[in-house]
Amino acid sequence: MVSACGSLFVALLGFAGGLGVGSALAALLIVLDIIPRLAQLGFAYRKSIWFETAVVSGAVFWSLADFLEWRLWLPHIVSMVTIGTFDGIFVGMLGAALTEVMNVLPILAKRVRLSRYLVSLVYAMVLGKVTGSLFDWLVFQYMDP
C-alpha cells in the first residue's frame, strides 16, 4: 500500500514537473516570438506551420527518447559532433532571439559607454561561450568528482 502511494506521488510529481516545464517553454516561445521571427528571417511566412511542427515534433521525439531510453549506436566522435552541432544551433538561436528581443547589447554598450567596442564585445561573448563549452566537453566532464 505504501509502495503504491509512493509510486502515485512520484507519478503526480513528474506530471506536475513536466507540465511546469512545458508551460514555461511554451511561454518562452510565445513571449519572444521565436517562431514568427524565424519565419520572417527565412522569408517563409506561409510555411510557419513547418517551424511549429518541427518544435513540437522535436519535443515529443526527445521526450520519448528520454523516457524509453533509446540509444544511438554511432562512433563516439560522430555522435558528439552531431549532437554538439544541433545543440549549438539551438542555444545560439535562443541566445540570439533573447538578445534581439531584449536589446541587451545596445543597452549594455550605452550604459557602460562601450558603443565603439560593440563588435568586440560580441566577439568576446562568442569566444567565451565557445571556450567554456570546449572546456566543459573536453576537460571538465572527464575530471574525477
Side-chain angles (χ1 to χ4, degrees), residues 45-64:
Y45 299 108
R46 295 182 183 194
K47 296 181 182 177
S48 65
I49 189 73
W50 288 97
F51 293 107
E52 296 166 2
T53 304
V55 169
V56 171
S57 299
V60 169
F61 176 81
W62 289 110
S63 294
L64 288 174

Side-chain angles (χ1 to χ4, degrees), residues 85-117:
T85 300
F86 285 120
D87 190 35
I89 290 170
F90 174 76
V91 169
M93 290 182 76
L94 185 61
L98 281 169
T99 302
E100 183 177 330
V101 169
M102 305 293 282
N103 288 328
V104 170
L105 293 179
I107 293 172
L108 176 70
K110 184 185 279 187
R111 293 274 165 98
V112 293
R113 295 186 178 119
L114 291 176
S115 297
R116 291 186 291 163
Y117 306 108

Side-chain angles (χ1 to χ4, degrees), residues 12-24 67:
L12 286 174
L13 190 65
F15 180 74
L19 192 63
V21 169
S23 300
F67 286 137

